[in-house]
Amino acid sequence: MEMIKIAGTGMILASSFWAGLHAALRLKRTHEQLRDLNAALELIAAEIRFAATPFVPLCRRAGEGRCAAVRAFFEELSRERGCPETASEGMTRRACVKAGLVLPEQAHADLERLFDGFGCFDREGQLRQIALVSSELNRLSDELGAQMQGRCRTYEILGLTAGAAVLVLVI
């Protein structure tokens, strides 16, 4: 019976610590995705400025060399825009969900504003839109980066503390 209590205690503490660790890893993934999206937007702006690349090849090019979720996001955008029967309204939100992007709601809204209406502006207007979204993603990334170490540590400690509290309640 004593061995079962010890095993249960270990399982409670391990699972709660894992939950805290998972939250911290998710935060790091969000930061990485924000940085990759920002780099992709810089590439898109350069392509529009100098080569006027069409949207579908532009998305494929922007996704190359990025983390898996960002690459999948751009692949999904190019796939959806390549199908003429697919509505462009909500295209970005669907691509974010299918790609598994873990972003703040503000980033989702900014990306939606940019990509759902992509091509509706002239070259300079499109570049201004990209610059606005890029600066917002950069701000979110910087803000998250400044808080990252403390928040990750907090999530890990919170996981252990919650496990200890559950353990006290059970025993």
Side-chain angles (χ1 to χ4, degrees):
M1 188 65 168
E2 191 65 33
M3 194 57 134
I4 293 174
K5 283 184 178 180
I6 292 173
T9 301
M11 289 174 62
I12 289 172
L13 288 175
S15 64
S16 61
F17 179 68
W18 180 84
L21 190 60
H22 179 69
L25 289 174
R26 184 179 168 116
L27 195 64
K28 289 177 184 178
R29 192 175 322 128
T30 298
H31 188 250
E32 176 189 20
Q33 290 173 0
L34 284 170
R35 287 182 307 158
D36 262 4
L37 279 169
N38 204 20
L41 288 179
E42 288 175 11
L43 175 78
I44 289 172
E47 286 281 332
I48 289 173
R49 188 174 285 119
F50 299 113
T53 308
F55 187 75
V56 172
L58 183 64
C59 284
R60 288 190 186 120
R61 212 172 205 175
E64 291 174 359
R66 308 287 174 222
C67 68
V70 172
R71 184 174 53 250
F73 169 71
F74 282 109
E75 287 171 2
E76 189 60 32
L77 278 179
S78 68
R79 189 190 66 71
E80 286 218 17
R81 187 57 72 91
C83 296
E85 65 272 357
T86 307
S88 65
E89 186 68 32
M91 171 183 72
T92 306
R93 183 73 61 172
R94 289 189 303 271
C96 285
V97 169
K98 286 183 182 177
L101 285 179
V102 183
L103 299 174
E105 185 55 38
Q106 181 62 43
H108 280 290
D110 291 337
L111 289 173
E112 231 174 345
R113 188 178 65 238
L114 175 65
F115 288 118
D116 281 358
F118 203 87
C120 294
F121 300 103
D122 64 344
R123 182 180 286 192
E124 290 306 313
Q126 196 67 57
L127 289 171
R128 280 192 298 275
Q129 282 287 99
I130 292 170
L132 283 171
V133 173
S134 181
S135 67
E136 182 62 23
L137 291 180
N138 199 23
R139 184 192 67 76
L140 288 169
S141 177
D142 290 346
E143 187 178 289
L144 190 60
Q147 303 169 352
M148 179 118 57
Q149 187 176 8
R151 285 178 68 183
C152 286
R153 188 75 181 141
T154 300
Y155 287 146
E156 292 166 359
I157 298 290
L158 209 74
L160 276 176
T161 306
V166 168
L167 191 61
V168 167
L169 290 174
V170 170
I171 295 178

